[in-house]
Amino acid sequence: MATSLLTAPYIISPAYNGISWELQSNTANLLVLRVDVYVNGSYASTINVPPRLGTTNTFDVRVGSVVKRFLEPSLDTVSVFGALSPAVDSPTAHAGIQIKVFEVYTVAGVITTAWDETQTGTPDYTSTTPQAVRMALNGIETLDDYRITGVIQAKFLTLRPLNSFVYEDQPLQIDFVSELSSVQFRVIEIDNTGGTINDTTTAVYNNSVDFRGRFFIDIASLDTDTAKFTVAIWFSGVARSQTYTFNVQRNVCAKKVIYWENHLGGYDCHYFDLGVSAETKSSANQMIPVGTGIRTNISGTQDEVISVFCSMQNEGTYKMISEASLNRSQAYEFDTETRVFRPIVLEPSSGTRKYKDTRNNVNELKVSYVYAKRNQSLRG
């Protein structure tokens, strides 16, 4: 009597693409597998797994629905302020997953199992502990595109073009996935003539497990002569990520910066410099007939819809911004005057193109939102 492994999740796996084990057993009269799921070493749930359709001894153990309850967005609205900050773990964006499997079978017509509701039984199979990451890959993306392994130059968890624009007074969070035991961030500040102002290798992060990390740059803390800066992850003296170039926009009136979670689980952001408008959106319940009369439900809501506008530097900018409204992802407004984050809910019209010229080029983008929690900010 034994349960054996056929296939297992990779050591880092996107949680929203499914986390599953394929198991096989040679036990006679096997009914189901009872599986205890552990998240970060603590018991989380028990699931029953019947045999795969058309088989009697092959089982697909899928735990994605359990895991996703423990994964949360990971924008850090505190550490982003100040100078270059160390790369830190993003604890809510990944979780160690382990399964303990118990066979349920019959002996002389009696149902038998070693499973116990106090989780003290001896399992028939115990898995290793891969890391489930808050991430969803689309059909053309692979995990190899994003994991820092020391082999290829991987991407950050961003839809941002390799060459993009940032505002001079905004903080920036850079998200990544690493399989290395330590990584370094190299930030090179460059002036208008192309000369190097500062070349800083910092943020050594030592860890003993695969992890999902983030690095912080408060652009306001950079040298005032910095026209652009590059960022890359280094390991053993070699760049192990792609190099991203951020052009610093100075002397523009960017009142708001919007941050949102992309489908990779990282945070993208963009500044809006072409104006801010507001309008009131009202909603009320319909009139409800009661008996022979009509009762009007007078309860309703009024929300101030904020619209912000920006010029579109390139098609990559549009694609990055438009995904925010398509996913209705978690988002934040950063006020550049008060330097305060506030949670927002994006409107379906966000990311729309406006004012196409005669050559069908898009000159302006619009994002609209309402505040998620009134009078509450994420930084005091």
Side-chain angles (χ1 to χ4, degrees):
M1 181 176 67
T3 299
S4 57
L5 174 67
L6 296 179
T7 62
Y10 188 67
I11 55 176
I12 293 180
S13 295
Y16 289 81
N17 292 94
I19 306 290
S20 65
W21 283 261
E22 183 183 14
L23 303 176
Q24 195 172 62
S25 174
N26 61 5
T27 300
N29 303 316
L30 185 60
L31 300 176
V32 297
L33 298 182
R34 179 154 284 192
V35 181
D36 286 344
V37 183
Y38 290 77
V39 178
N40 293 328
S42 298
Y43 170 76
S45 182
T46 297
I47 57 177
N48 289 327
V49 182
R52 182 188 297 170
L53 185 65
T55 74
T56 59
N57 64 347
T58 303
F59 299 82
D60 297 303
V61 180
R62 299 183 176 92
V63 300
S65 60
V66 176
V67 175
K68 287 185 286 189
R69 300 201 307 263
F70 294 86
L71 301 176
E72 299 176 354
S74 60
L75 181 66
D76 190 322
T77 59
V78 176
S79 299
V80 290
F81 294 96
L84 302 181
S85 301
V88 298
D89 192 10
S90 182
T92 64
H94 72 111
I97 310 301
Q98 185 183 52
I99 60 171
K100 295 183 179 181
V101 179
F102 301 83
E103 297 178 343
V104 181
Y105 54 94
T106 60
V107 177
V110 178
I111 297 177
T112 304
T113 182
W115 180 84
D116 184 271
E117 63 182 5
T118 61
Q119 289 76 54
T120 58
T122 301
D124 297 295
Y125 172 80
T126 300
S127 75
T128 57
T129 309
Q131 293 290 311
V133 181
R134 184 179 171 88
M135 171 190 282
L137 298 174
N138 62 33
I140 61 174
E141 295 170 330
T142 69
L143 187 60
D144 288 339
D145 295 332
Y146 298 98
R147 58 191 180 98
I148 308 298
T149 62
V151 178
I152 63 172
Q153 291 190 339
K155 303 174 184 177
F156 295 143
L157 301 182
T158 179
L159 302 183
R160 180 183 294 276
L162 289 176
N163 194 311
S164 63
F165 296 84
V166 290
Y167 180 58
E168 63 179 330
D169 198 34
Q170 73 170 87
L172 185 65
Q173 174 175 306
I174 298 174
D175 300 279
F176 63 96
V177 170
S178 175
E179 292 183 15
L180 301 177
S181 59
S182 63
V183 293
Q184 295 175 308
F185 268 77
R186 186 177 183 185
V187 179
I188 303 177
E189 298 176 55
I190 303 168
D191 63 21
N192 281 322
T193 68
T196 298
I197 300 174
N198 291 306
D199 186 344
T200 308
T201 300
T202 187
V204 178
Y205 183 88
N206 295 309
N207 69 299
S208 58
V209 296
D210 308 296
F211 80 111
R212 158 76 162 75
R214 52 194 174 182
F215 179 68
F216 310 106
I217 300 175
D218 190 350
I219 299 170
S221 70
L222 299 181
D223 192 286
T224 55
D225 290 329
T226 298
K228 63 182 179 181
F229 60 95
T230 63
V231 180
I233 292 178
W234 283 58
F235 177 76
S236 296
V238 179
R240 296 304 186 185
S241 76
Q242 294 187 358
T243 298
Y244 288 75
T245 300
F246 298 88
N247 299 277
V248 181
Q249 296 295 93
R250 301 187 183 277
N251 302 316
V252 297
C253 187
K255 298 295 186 183
K256 308 288 185 183
V257 183
I258 305 301
Y259 297 74
W260 63 92
E261 186 187 27
N262 58 44
H263 70 271
L264 300 170
Y267 271 86
D268 284 322
C269 61
H270 196 70
Y271 65 91
F272 292 82
D273 60 340
L274 296 183
V276 179
S277 65
E279 61 179 330
T280 300
K281 179 179 69 173
S282 301
S283 62
N285 295 331
Q286 294 181 337
M287 296 168 61
I288 303 173
V290 179
T292 57
I294 293 180
R295 175 174 65 86
T296 301
N297 188 339
I298 61 174
S299 64
T301 61
Q302 286 191 332
D303 292 308
E304 185 179 47
V305 179
I306 310 297
S307 294
V308 290
F309 305 85
C310 71
S311 56
M312 193 186 81
Q313 292 94 356
N314 50 50
E315 185 69 14
T317 304
Y318 166 71
K319 291 179 179 178
M320 178 181 72
I321 295 175
S322 62
E323 193 199 59
S325 59
L326 291 175
N327 290 348
R328 302 306 299 276
S329 53
Q330 188 189 68
Y332 296 86
E333 171 206 80
F334 177 73
D335 190 302
T336 60
E337 295 180 346
T338 62
R339 289 179 68 76
V340 166
F341 282 95
R342 293 185 68 179
I344 60 175
V345 178
L346 295 169
E347 294 286 286
S349 60
S350 293
T352 55
R353 304 172 182 236
K354 294 189 66 180
Y355 308 132
K356 291 185 177 181
D357 61 23
T358 56
R359 304 179 72 176
N360 210 37
N361 294 320
V362 180
N363 297 324
E364 188 172 316
L365 293 176
K366 170 187 174 183
V367 166
S368 299
Y369 56 90
V370 297
Y371 292 116
K373 297 178 181 179
R374 292 192 178 278
N375 302 319
Q376 178 179 340
S377 66
L378 298 182
R379 179 174 169 85

